[in-house]
Amino acid sequence: MSVLNQLNHELTQLTGYHSAQPRTVTLAAKGKIEVMIDFTSVDTMSCSFQEIRVNVPSLAQAAFDKLKEWGQKLCQKVTYLLENIGPLEYDEDAGQVLIRSTPPDQNQAGTQFYEIILSSHSNGQFSLKRFMSQPGQSGRTQVDLQVTHQVLRKLVEDLVDTVP
């Protein structure tokens, strides 16, 4: 079963789910890639989730250029989120690429942004989260990502398809 068919099946099964405790769904994709989504709410048209993780065993301990290639492809392909994303930091020593919203969403309530970390360590892992920082407070708080089912399907497909 394709990764999108698996996702569609899981979304149907989870319709009506709402909890502060996320329910993790694992999808198997080509090349032994695993996509894990931590859902907190699912209705018939949209969903909320804390994080998407993608494990790519073929990128474990990969050359740093492969990680940079993945990051660049992602930034070019994923243009439909609330903000554009772009590479912020390349850390060859740590084997990580940091991607964030460019620019972040800023309003009176605070600043929100996407953060993506690509790592050649721990199975070539990808992580997508959303954060918020409020004026007058130090630090940031992780918040749920809210998307339609259509956007989630496209995002999962693009994550898998851009893997070098």
Side-chain angles (χ1 to χ4, degrees):
M1 187 182 316
S2 77
V3 71
L4 290 182
N5 287 340
Q6 292 171 67
L7 178 58
N8 288 335
H9 174 76
E10 294 293 344
L11 288 170
T12 300
Q13 295 298 310
L14 287 171
T15 298
Y17 177 76
H18 181 78
S19 175
Q21 293 299 317
R23 183 171 298 169
T24 301
V25 168
T26 302
L27 311 170
K30 64 183 180 184
K32 298 183 180 179
I33 297 171
E34 287 185 327
V35 179
M36 288 146 296
I37 307 168
D38 298 332
F39 287 102
T40 53
S41 182
V42 179
D43 64 28
T44 56
M45 293 187 65
S46 63
C47 57
S48 298
F49 54 93
Q50 290 181 341
E51 178 180 13
I52 293 182
R53 292 176 307 286
V54 181
N55 287 331
V56 186
S58 65
L59 290 182
Q61 306 304 320
F64 191 69
D65 289 345
K66 285 282 185 198
L67 221 50
K68 284 177 68 173
E69 178 186 341
W70 190 13
Q72 291 165 349
K73 283 183 181 179
L74 271 173
C75 293
Q76 291 171 354
K77 188 90 169 168
V78 179
T79 59
Y80 42 83
L81 297 175
L82 293 173
E83 302 99 33
N84 290 328
I85 56 172
L88 183 66
E89 180 180 306
Y90 295 109
D91 188 341
E92 189 167 359
D93 293 335
Q96 284 190 341
V97 173
L98 174 63
I99 298 168
R100 284 207 181 135
S101 298
T102 57
D105 178 41
Q106 295 181 333
N107 59 45
Q108 290 179 344
T111 301
Q112 291 193 39
F113 58 93
Y114 296 104
E115 181 174 278
I116 297 171
I117 296 177
L118 306 178
S119 175
S120 61
H121 304 302
S122 66
N123 270 351
Q125 191 165 14
F126 163 98
S127 172
L128 167 63
K129 298 178 183 177
R130 187 154 176 85
F131 292 95
M132 178 179 201
S133 62
Q134 295 177 326
Q137 293 182 340
S138 63
R140 61 189 191 171
T141 305
Q142 185 176 341
V143 295
D144 284 354
L145 288 89
Q146 300 172 346
V147 297
T148 63
H149 292 190
Q150 181 180 6
V151 168
L152 181 59
R153 285 190 288 269
K154 182 160 181 50
L155 181 59
V156 168
E157 185 175 50
D158 288 345
L159 292 175
V160 171
D161 287 349
T162 57
V163 171

